[in-house]
Amino acid sequence: MKFDVRYANHPADSKGYDTEKLRRHYHISNIFEPDSINLTYSHQDRIIAGGIMPVKEALVLESCKELAAPYFLARRELGAINIGGPGVIIVDGTEYKMDPKDGIYVGMGAKELVFKSLDQENPAKFYMNSCPAHRTCPTVHIPMDKARYNHLGSQETVNERILRQYVHPAVCESCQLSMGMTALLPGNVWNTMPSHTHERRMEVYLYFDIAPDQAVFHMMGQPSETRHIVMHNEEAVISPSWSIHSGVGTANYTFIWGMCGENQDFDDMDGIPTAELR
């Protein structure tokens, strides 16, 4: 298992970052590698984001020195969405078939987590978010059609999109993790615009379904001091609570968002009028 640690920083620091330093602090690449678990631990609310890509063998999610725990979910909860081919997740001996775009929530205390692909030629790609938990909630398999469906935006503002909430109070109980997936419709390129911040929770975005010759420009920073990070297919970005988190693509795309912090109220955000952005 590869385990990268990122430290939190003050928003004033980011004002002076060049492209390389912005990417070093916030950008996550090489998320999916065959028969590998690649995780990034951020001190922004201690979220873990990463990819699990079993191909020829099953992969077991185990603890590591950085967690100082007897097993991975001893003091954590986890959400995962499969963006690859069909697979299986085994939680303490119970198998959950994970078709493409299916999700799962696994509560604190689950000891054995095994990830498998059903087709080596079309392997599963499990994207996961994990955050600290102080109580156990039931493990729930969440097929895409069971996620909460929201049709947002409009073609006129080039942000018509389908938002599906997987780990959300309307779908399943969790301690503090929220997780979902947003797909831009063809001909639309903007996400989360008008922009906002939410001081009570941070967020991580995984951008995917991006063609090799296309890109997404992820906007971050305080509203009066914005920056951008160029994102390519299956790359993620860490968004601190003080930062906006909008994006514009050269074509439509999909992204998975995961949040953790002290508040699960999806509408608890501070909207930023577009005219005030700098």
Side-chain angles (χ1 to χ4, degrees):
M1 180 171 69
K2 298 178 182 178
F3 201 86
D4 181 29
V5 177
R6 308 285 182 92
Y7 289 94
N9 59 330
H10 193 278
D13 292 341
S14 298
K15 294 181 180 182
Y17 288 0
D18 61 12
T19 298
E20 188 278 332
K21 199 167 185 179
L22 278 173
R23 294 175 71 85
R24 179 162 21 109
H25 279 281
Y26 303 112
H27 179 262
I28 305 173
S29 60
N30 303 316
I31 291 172
F32 295 105
E33 295 180 332
D35 289 317
S36 182
I37 299 176
N38 295 350
L39 304 180
T40 296
Y41 179 109
S42 171
H43 280 262
Q44 306 280 355
D45 283 312
R46 299 188 180 273
I47 197 169
I48 296 175
I52 302 172
M53 185 180 175
V55 180
K56 296 181 180 179
E57 58 188 58
L59 298 177
V60 180
L61 183 60
E62 298 178 313
S63 188
C64 56
K65 178 180 181 297
E66 290 81 359
L67 294 183
Y71 50 94
F72 194 92
L73 294 184
R75 296 186 293 271
R76 289 184 157 268
E77 58 186 349
L78 177 150
I81 297 175
N82 179 18
I83 68 167
V88 171
I89 297 178
I90 304 171
V91 181
D92 287 341
T94 301
E95 291 196 9
Y96 300 91
K97 188 174 185 297
M98 298 287 292
D99 289 326
K101 306 295 176 64
D102 280 2
I104 194 171
Y105 168 80
V106 184
M108 181 184 74
K111 292 185 176 180
E112 185 179 49
L113 289 90
V114 182
F115 298 78
K116 297 180 179 180
S117 289
L118 297 181
D119 181 0
Q120 292 187 18
E121 301 302 316
N122 183 26
K125 293 180 178 180
F126 299 106
Y127 175 70
M128 60 153 279
N129 288 163
S130 172
C131 63
H134 58 265
R135 64 187 178 96
T136 297
C137 300
T139 294
V140 179
H141 178 236
I142 311 162
M144 185 173 71
D145 62 1
K146 298 299 183 183
R148 189 186 191 199
Y149 179 95
N150 300 267
H151 191 160
L152 304 175
S154 68
Q155 186 67 56
E156 287 74 19
T157 49
V158 209
N159 67 349
E160 190 174 6
R161 60 203 188 274
I162 304 302
L163 182 151
R164 290 180 170 88
Q165 294 163 318
Y166 285 74
V167 182
H168 180 275
V171 179
C172 71
E173 185 182 12
S174 68
C175 181
Q176 66 158 320
L177 179 67
S178 298
M179 196 171 180
M181 180 173 64
T182 301
L184 277 290
L185 299 184
N188 292 268
V189 294
W190 276 105
N191 80 70
T192 325
M193 183 62 76
S195 60
H196 62 259
T197 60
H198 28 69
E199 283 288 348
R200 286 154 292 280
R201 58 187 185 272
M202 61 81 64
E203 196 156 5
V204 177
Y205 276 12
L206 171 78
Y207 287 100
F208 66 106
D209 286 346
I210 303 173
D213 59 344
Q214 305 295 325
V216 174
F217 289 74
H218 177 83
M219 309 298 173
M220 66 157 296
Q222 292 177 298
S224 62
E225 192 80 30
T226 60
R227 300 288 186 269
H228 76 265
I229 298 176
V230 178
M231 309 295 298
H232 296 286
N233 193 44
E234 297 179 358
E235 295 180 343
V237 62
I238 299 166
S239 178
S241 60
W242 46 262
S243 176
I244 68 167
H245 37 283
S246 299
V248 59
T250 54
N252 64 308
Y253 53 91
T254 306
F255 65 98
I256 292 173
W257 45 268
M259 296 186 284
C260 67
E262 63 176 342
N263 194 335
Q264 290 181 307
D265 181 358
F266 189 81
D267 294 324
D268 179 17
M269 59 184 71
D270 300 310
I272 311 297
T274 302
E276 295 182 8
L277 291 174
R278 297 290 185 267

